[in-house]
Every structure is written in C-alpha cells, then in structure tokens.
C-alpha cells in the first residue's frame, strides 16, 4: 500500500535528523535525496509487530551552500508503505527522473501558492 502526499512536512516529529538512502547531484547544482524512516508498531494486546515505512523525496535546488542556511528544501513526495523494497523502488524511480521531479516540484509550488 502506497500513499503519496505532496509536502507532507520535512521535519520529523521526534526531531531526529535523517540520513539519505540515496543522493544524487542536480545538473544546475543542489541535489535530490531519498530518505526513509522505519518504525516498528506493536498491536494492542496482541504483541504482534508490524513495520511502518515512510519515505520522502527532497529536492534541494540551491547550488550555493550559504543560501541553504535556514531553509528547508521542498519535500516533493512522501509515501508510506509496509514494504521497504517497494517503497524504495518507487522513491528511487521518482528521484532519478528529472521530468518527474520537475512535475512534482510544480505541484509543490502550486500547493504552496494556494496555501499562502
């Protein structure tokens, strides 16, 4: 089960930093990251554990590191799944496709303009 959301929020609820599972530089500067968080959830009263995986694609457009200070890069996609491999495959496919990234960034910018 995949649930894709646009700009669902970059900062994790617990304040942890994330390590990129995949990173590549962009041609004009900046980079694309794929980050994943895995949570083990236990069922109430059953003791059964399930895996909850959340991944996101982050697009940093700023080539100059100094311009990145105080700036959170756009989260152009966020997905949730119970299968780490499927989730990583979907996120990697988006992160490696410049046209798909451009479309996702346009959606992110459009949503941002409507919100504010």
């Amino acid at each position: 089960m995949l649930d894709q959301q646009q700009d669902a929020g970059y900062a994790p609820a617990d304040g942890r930093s994330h390590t990129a599972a995949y990173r590549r530089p962009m041609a004009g500067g900046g980079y694309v990251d794929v980050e994943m968080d895995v949570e083990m959830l236990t069922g109430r009263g059953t003791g059964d554990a399930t895996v909850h995986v959340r991944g996101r694609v982050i697009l940093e457009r700023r080539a100059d590191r100094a311009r990145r200070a105080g700036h959170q890069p756009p989260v152009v996609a966020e997905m949730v799944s119970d299968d780490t491999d499927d989730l990583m495959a979907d996120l990697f496919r988006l992160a490696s496709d410049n046209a798909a990234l451009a479309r996702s960034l346009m959606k992110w910018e459009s949503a941002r303009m409507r919100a504010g």
Side-chain angles (χ1 to χ4, degrees), residues 40-109:
M40 294 298 288
L41 304 172
T42 56
R44 291 186 180 169
T46 65
D48 294 335
T50 58
V51 177
H52 179 80
V53 186
R54 180 178 302 276
R56 65 195 65 74
V57 176
I58 297 151
L59 180 59
E60 175 55 76
R61 301 164 291 172
R62 299 174 186 209
D64 182 0
R65 287 184 185 271
R67 291 192 60 222
R68 294 180 193 162
H71 158 78
Q72 292 290 341
V75 176
V76 296
E78 185 165 9
M79 300 177 185
V80 178
S81 178
D82 54 357
D83 187 312
T84 305
D85 293 337
D86 285 346
L87 180 63
M88 186 62 196
D90 287 341
L91 294 171
F92 176 78
R93 196 173 302 113
L94 173 60
S96 61
D97 182 343
N98 286 341
L101 285 172
R103 287 189 300 273
S104 294
L105 184 61
M106 286 189 295
K107 288 178 187 175
W108 177 85
E109 289 172 336

Side-chain angles (χ1 to χ4, degrees), residues 1-22:
M1 171 189 86
L2 292 177
D3 175 28
Q4 183 173 354
Q5 304 168 9
Q6 293 292 324
D7 193 33
Y10 179 73
D14 60 8
R16 291 182 293 143
S17 62
H18 298 281
T19 303
Y22 170 78

